Structures are given as C-alpha cells and as structure tokens.
Amino acid sequence: MLDTQRLIATGALAPLWAGLQAARPYGPSQHWLLDNPYHRPTALADLPLATLEEPVRGDALFTRRSLVLQRLLFNAYEQNNLYLPAKAFTDAEQRAFHDFYEPGFVAANAMLRPALERACFEFLSEEISVDGPWTLGHLEEYCQQLLTRYEAGPSEVCRRVEAATAPGLAAKLFILQVAPDFLSEASQMARALPGNFGPVHSELMKIFIDEFGYGVHPHKHSTLFERLLESLGLRSDVHAYYHWYLPSSLLMTSYFHWVTSHKPRWFEYVGALWWIEAVVPHFNRQFSKVLRAVFGRDGVDTLYFDEHVGIDMHHRRMALDKLIRPMVQRYGEGVIPAMVRGIEASRLLGDLAERDYFEQLDFCEALHTGRALTGSAVEAGRATPRAAGTFFAPDVCDVRTVLAVTAGAVEVDAGYLSPRVLRAGEAVVVPAGRMVGARVVGEGASLWMGPAGAAP
C-alpha cells in the first residue's frame, strides 16, 4: 500500500515536489484574470514539502497555507475534467492544454492527493459527531427538523448583499465563490456513476440527467450559469476568476470530489447530496429576487437560480425517497451514521463558506468606501521600487497587513473587480485571513508590504 505520509517524511517525494514547484501550469500570472483554464497559479515556491504533513485545523482555514493546499487539491481533481476553448486553440492555449493534462504532471498531483486530502479534510472528523443510535425513523425526523429550521429564516447572504454600499459588486463577489462548482456543475456526481449498484444507480442518473439539461446544451445547468455571468458583464470562460476563489469555496467544491472518488464514502456522499439539494430552493428563490432588485429585471439573467427552485424541490424528494430510504432498507441502519456525516459535513462547509465570504465582503466594502485606507508613515527608504505592471497576485494575509505606497500609483483589489488606486502617502490595512492583490499602474512606483506591527 502506498504510504504518502512516509514518503513525504523521508524526503522521497522531494524531487516530485520540486517538479511541481517548477511546473508551468502552476506558474505565476501577471494579470487579474486568467486567459485559459489550464493555467492555475499556485504559490508553491516558498512552501516546503513538509507543509503537507500537518492537517489544516478548523481555525486555520482562512490562511495562505490553506489557500495553497486547497488550490493544489482542487486542481488535482480538476484534471479529471475536460476543458476545451470556445473556438480554435491559439498556440499558447495549445501548449497550456498539453501542459495541464501531461501524464507526468497528472501523476505527480495524483501522488500527493492522499496527503492533500488528509491535510484538507481531517478537521471534519474533529468537528463532526454522528453518535447514535440511529434508525430510519430518527434519520427522517432529523432531516425534516434541519430543513424546517433552515427554511424558517431569511438568507443572511441576501441580507448582506442588499445592505452593502455596492450591492451589485457584493452579489458578483458571491457569484465568483460558487463558480468553482457551478462552471462544471455535477462533474463530481459524474464520478459516482460508473459501476453497477442496483436501483439507486438509475435514480442517481435521473438527477444527473436533470443537471445536464436532458442532453440539451442550452438547458445544461453550467450553461445557465455562464449566461448569468455574461448578463452581469462577467467573463464566462472556465476559471477566469481563479485568483479570487477563497479557500472555503475551493474546499466546498473539493469535498464533493473527495466523497465521490472514494467509493467507501458513497453513503456519506448521498447524505451530503441530500442537504445540498434540500436547501437550494429556499436560497435560490431569495437570491434571484435580490439580483433582480439590484440589477433590474432586464439587467440580469436569473434562470440559473430560478430553474433550481423547482428542480431541486424534486431532487431533494428523490434523494430521500429514492436514494437514502431504499439504501437503509437494503443495507441496514449501520449505513446511517455515514449519511449523517455527509449531511453535517455539507452543513459545516456551507457555514464556513458563508463566514469566509462575509469577512471578505467586509474588507471589500472597507476598501471600496475608503475605510480600509490610512495615511502612510513608511519612509521612502524602506519601500521597494517596482516596475510598471508588477503584479502581486491575490493571496491571503495570515496577519493584519499594511500595503503602503511611497511613490507612484498602485491599484489594490479584494475581489470587487474594481481596484482602488493608492498614491504616494496612502496605505491600506488588510485584516488577517483576508485576500488582497495589487498591481503597479505606472512608472516610478515604490511600496512596502508587511505585518501591521512592523510598519513604522
């Protein structure tokens, strides 16, 4: 049996890690948006191989290390997805396409997957308890109680979007966070379909067919999401906004790849699937209404969200009546704890994603309104001259951080896709755990970036 942890500890995987650090698909970008889905900037250069040995704890999910590990795992899973450009390959796209799917690069990522999965998901076992005893009756009552409680209140995401000083930008920030999943919707479910596992196999296929629009491309759910993006003036090509995916957004998407690719987690997947299908109608109904209020009925295509209000009412009944109940009846009540674990994991990851989004939204709002700005007392001699176009890719700051401009101009963004230009004498304070990026917009710029406590 392959013991990835031992190979890491002994340094046997050091050459493989060095190869990934130098791999073109993980190389840096010089632009806010990415030109193709095969370029996945991932800052491995400063991370030792040993960083894979220690699991990311629940209180360290919003950190730079977590972001890098989440990107690595997400990309490893995504190499099972085929992405093609909308028209003929350019020479650059052709090279990038072959680089991303090159067998050696795919194998290197796959070799690290067990360690990455342990690092990214082990905290779930510490956070979730599924103590029983469980019966089918208890499970059905538990599911109904959870759903009733969830649907009893309004969406906090919708409330926060409406309350923002720039509700349109706040809505777009949220939409970017669901893009890792929605741009290739149901690809995780596709992992669960090969094989032969009885009547529930056919029932799951029915849900899958719905997700893919019954084979009619304009009705495919990912196509509807692309239309939503385009209606808001956003790019719809896959992962153009990769830089802005928060750690929790990648974690949520990767979780469903994990439980569908690891077959012993099948029953956990079915529980997680039920919860996602169950909560979508209540949220989507509200979010669609918010989008129309913010952008106007003619300013946004909400069909993606509207479609799910109806179809997922059906899917949540199917998941319970055609998947969960028949499997408990066939395989016994011993499979229920795994189903409950899936429900609880899905709930927990959803809560974490909301919290991450809310905290990033707060920083975006502070940057947008100027509340995050302060006068810079950094001496010019401590700043570093930077050439025009120098790009600091969006990254998570582990501690409260100051970015100060002593000369020239630097644009700074936190995910609103509307950078704020800082000029000489201005600085921005970035809260710990928040993502920020910057780009020098002219010649003669100098800046300093470091922990707030180290700033003069």
Side-chain angles (χ1 to χ4, degrees):
M1 182 170 58
L2 180 67
D3 186 348
T4 308
Q5 292 301 120
R6 184 179 65 80
L7 294 176
I8 291 173
T10 61
L13 291 184
L16 180 148
W17 184 250
L20 288 177
Q21 288 176 316
R24 280 192 295 267
Y26 288 160
S29 167
Q30 297 304 315
H31 305 284
W32 292 112
L33 304 184
L34 300 184
D35 292 330
N36 65 69
Y38 321 117
H39 185 196
R40 310 290 182 96
T42 305
L44 300 182
D46 299 329
L47 289 180
L49 178 60
T51 196
L52 302 184
E53 293 187 276
E54 181 64 27
V56 178
R57 303 301 175 191
D59 60 358
L61 288 171
F62 309 157
T63 61
R64 183 177 185 274
R65 173 174 174 262
S66 174
L67 176 64
V68 172
L69 296 183
Q70 306 301 344
R71 283 178 173 174
L72 271 177
L73 184 56
F74 173 72
N75 293 334
Y77 288 136
E78 284 255 302
Q79 287 181 309
N80 285 280
N81 294 354
L82 174 63
Y83 295 114
L84 295 174
K87 53 186 178 181
F89 284 99
T90 65
D91 290 343
E93 286 173 337
Q94 186 77 27
R95 288 192 297 270
F97 175 74
H98 285 281
D99 285 344
F100 186 66
Y101 293 115
E102 193 275 320
F105 181 60
V106 173
N109 284 290
M111 179 75 81
L112 293 181
R113 255 184 57 187
L116 287 167
E117 288 167 343
R118 175 178 174 270
C120 293
F121 297 126
E122 185 165 292
F123 82 98
L124 292 174
S125 62
E126 300 172 358
E127 301 277 348
I128 295 172
S129 173
V130 295
D131 293 340
W134 288 95
T135 66
L136 180 56
H138 290 147
L139 177 61
E140 291 179 344
E141 181 181 4
Y142 158 80
C143 290
Q144 187 56 57
Q145 287 176 347
L146 288 180
L147 186 55
T148 299
R149 192 183 316 145
Y150 176 80
E151 293 187 334
S155 163
E156 182 65 10
V157 169
C158 294
R159 188 193 71 78
R160 292 289 298 273
V161 167
E162 290 182 300
T165 58
L169 299 179
K172 291 179 182 180
L173 177 67
F174 177 79
I175 289 169
L176 295 189
Q177 301 315 312
V178 295
D181 180 14
F182 292 2
L183 284 167
S184 58
E185 187 159 333
S187 292
Q188 301 101 315
M189 187 181 293
R191 289 177 176 270
L193 290 171
N196 185 342
F197 45 97
V200 297
H201 194 172
S202 298
E203 299 299 336
L204 182 64
M205 176 57 78
K206 293 175 184 176
I207 298 176
F208 181 78
I209 290 171
D210 287 341
E211 303 287 351
F212 272 66
Y214 295 93
V216 180
H217 188 69
H219 297 166
K220 187 171 178 277
H221 288 178
S222 60
T223 305
L224 299 182
F225 185 69
E226 291 171 3
R227 286 170 49 185
L228 166 71
L229 293 172
E230 291 165 2
S231 73
L232 295 176
L234 298 172
R235 281 174 46 180
S236 62
D237 38 324
V238 172
H239 303 324
Y241 300 96
Y242 171 91
H243 277 313
W244 294 115
Y245 297 161
L246 296 172
S248 62
S249 303
L250 296 171
L251 177 64
M252 183 74 165
T253 303
S254 291
Y255 171 77
F256 281 88
H257 282 294
W258 182 50
V259 293
T260 50
S261 60
H262 288 256
K263 303 313 178 188
R265 293 189 175 274
W266 159 253
F267 297 103
E268 181 176 341
Y269 166 63
V270 172
L273 175 66
W274 173 80
W275 179 250
I276 289 297
E277 301 287 0
V279 300
V280 161
H282 182 61
F283 173 78
N284 280 21
R285 185 182 298 110
Q286 297 173 79
F287 196 65
S288 179
K289 182 179 179 181
V290 168
L291 289 178
R292 290 192 298 272
V294 171
F295 297 103
R297 289 187 174 274
D298 297 328
V300 59
D301 185 335
T302 62
L303 183 57
Y304 175 86
F305 294 104
D306 301 333
E307 165 76 7
H308 283 78
V309 172
I311 198 66
D312 282 354
M313 291 289 287
H314 177 52
H315 287 171
R316 77 186 190 188
R317 287 192 296 269
M318 288 181 66
L320 185 61
D321 297 341
K322 302 297 184 179
L323 297 179
I324 289 177
R325 188 178 293 119
M327 284 195 292
V328 173
Q329 292 168 343
R330 172 173 286 202
Y331 299 108
E333 293 173 343
V335 303
I336 295 178
M339 294 176 174
V340 175
R341 186 179 301 111
I343 295 171
E344 288 300 317
S346 191
R347 293 178 65 217
L348 174 60
L349 292 173
D351 290 345
L352 287 169
E354 282 200 359
R355 192 181 117 206
D356 204 4
Y357 165 71
F358 292 150
E359 292 183 11
Q360 192 67 27
L361 175 61
D362 286 343
F363 176 49
C364 283
E365 285 282 283
L367 183 61
H368 183 73
T369 61
R371 287 184 286 109
L373 270 61
T374 182
S376 172
V378 174
E379 298 175 1
R382 295 192 62 189
T384 303
R386 299 288 184 177
T390 300
F391 184 59
F392 299 87
D395 207 345
V396 174
C397 296
D398 287 341
V399 299
R400 190 166 178 264
T401 298
V402 171
L403 190 160
V405 178
T406 62
V410 177
E411 61 178 14
V412 180
D413 200 359
Y416 260 6
L417 311 180
S418 179
R420 186 180 190 100
V421 176
L422 302 186
R423 303 191 183 280
E426 294 183 317
V428 63
V429 179
V430 186
R434 292 304 98 215
M435 183 178 281
V436 70
R439 188 176 72 91
V440 177
V441 294
E443 297 293 347
S446 291
L447 61 89
W448 181 90
M449 188 172 184

